């Protein structure tokens, strides 16, 4: 198993785990750092038909934008887990600001271990965390014992359309993704694809901010300048992939 730091940096589209202690500085200007909370809320409203208020598990919750907004808009109980303690601090501040602290629990842990002792969720969300729990088959295999019988799994992720020649480590062709879904005894009941023009806009803002923060860090820690420069370069490449080469979407899955 890779280290927690490596898992975090992979999920943040970097490659050097020595950057992890600086991530909260680099991302200080942003709250939404992955999935689009409003899209997930729309999907829950449309596809969740179980008991309310539902219990939501948000794995790799980042700074809590998805959980806090679900709690504020739907009144659901949200349990967010992330390995970065500074992100979890931020989750709690935002829950307070949105007056939903009573509906939200946030904790610092490695989800690969923590999931083993959690049970009975109606909705499990993996918002832009990539293959932290393995490929789709293994992800469902890990999550299903912790999901109630009529529960939903919502995954925000990228995939490659079948007709494309493009390849990317960690990203599947859509047909291979759906094969694994099938093998795990699941079905995809919704696929909310993101509009490329909206992705361009939000990525541009995100990139400008993190570039500026990396440059500030280079000035503060000249010995690590290559690490920060490399992250800027990786992010630039990753944004190009997101904008031009793959499909990103929020997908809803349930048992067959
Ligand atoms: C791109 S962010 C997405 C955050 C959030 N889900 C969102 O959509 O706003 C990926 C998150 O996954 C977390 N992460 C990666 N590996 C993890 C692990 N093994 N355990 C807990 N959190 C992890 C990172 O710390 C990071 O906050």
């Amino acid at each position: 198993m890779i280290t927690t730091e490596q898992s975090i940096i992979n999920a943040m589209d970097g490659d050097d785990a020595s950057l992890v202690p600086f991530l909260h500085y680099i991302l200080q200007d942003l709250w939404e750092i992955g999935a689009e909370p409003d899209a997930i809320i729309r999907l829950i409203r449309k596809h969740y038909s179980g008991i309310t208020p539902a219990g939501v598990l948000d794995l790799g919750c980042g700074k809590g934008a998805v959980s806090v907004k679900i709690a504020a808009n739907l009144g659901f109980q949200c349990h967010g887990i992330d390995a970065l303690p500074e992100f979890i601090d931020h989750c709690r501040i935002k829950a307070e600001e949105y007056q939903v602290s009573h509906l939200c629990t946030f904790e610092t842990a490695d989800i690969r271990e923590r999931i083993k002792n959690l049970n009975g969720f109606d909705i499990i969300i993996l918002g832009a965390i990539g293959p932290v729990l393995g490929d789709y088959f293994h992800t469902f295999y890990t999550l299903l014992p912790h999901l109630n019988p009529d529960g939903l799994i919502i995954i925000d992720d990228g995939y490659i359309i079948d007709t494309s020649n493009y390849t990317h480590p960690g990203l599947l062709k859509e047909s291979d993704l759906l094969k694994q879904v099938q093998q795990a005894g699941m079905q995809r009941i919704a696929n909310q694809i993101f509009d490329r023009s909206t992705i361009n806009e939000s990525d541009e803002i995100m990139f400008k901010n993190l570039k500026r923060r990396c440059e500030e860090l280079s000035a503060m820690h000249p010995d690590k300048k290559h690490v920060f420069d490399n992250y800027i370069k990786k992010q630039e490449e990753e944004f190009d992939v997101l904008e031009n080469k793959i499909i990103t979407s929020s997908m809803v899955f349930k048992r067959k």
Side-chain angles (χ1 to χ4, degrees), residues 187-217:
Q187 55 181 325
R188 184 174 71 180
I189 59 166
N191 184 27
Q192 175 72 54
I193 293 174
F194 293 118
D195 178 356
R196 288 221 158 114
S197 59
T198 325
I199 297 177
N200 285 359
E201 259 171 55
S202 65
D203 281 359
E204 219 164 279
I205 297 168
M206 192 158 166
F207 182 68
K208 244 173 60 192
N209 278 310
L210 67 84
K211 186 166 183 246
R212 177 165 59 95
R213 296 302 183 182
C214 281
E215 286 165 357
E216 286 171 8
L217 283 168

Side-chain angles (χ1 to χ4, degrees), residues 67 78 94 102 157-158 166 175-176 178 186 221:
S67 276
C78 295
K94 292 307 266 191
H102 60 296
D157 199 7
Y166 180 70
S175 58
D176 293 329
L178 291 174
M186 300 292 285
H221 308 274

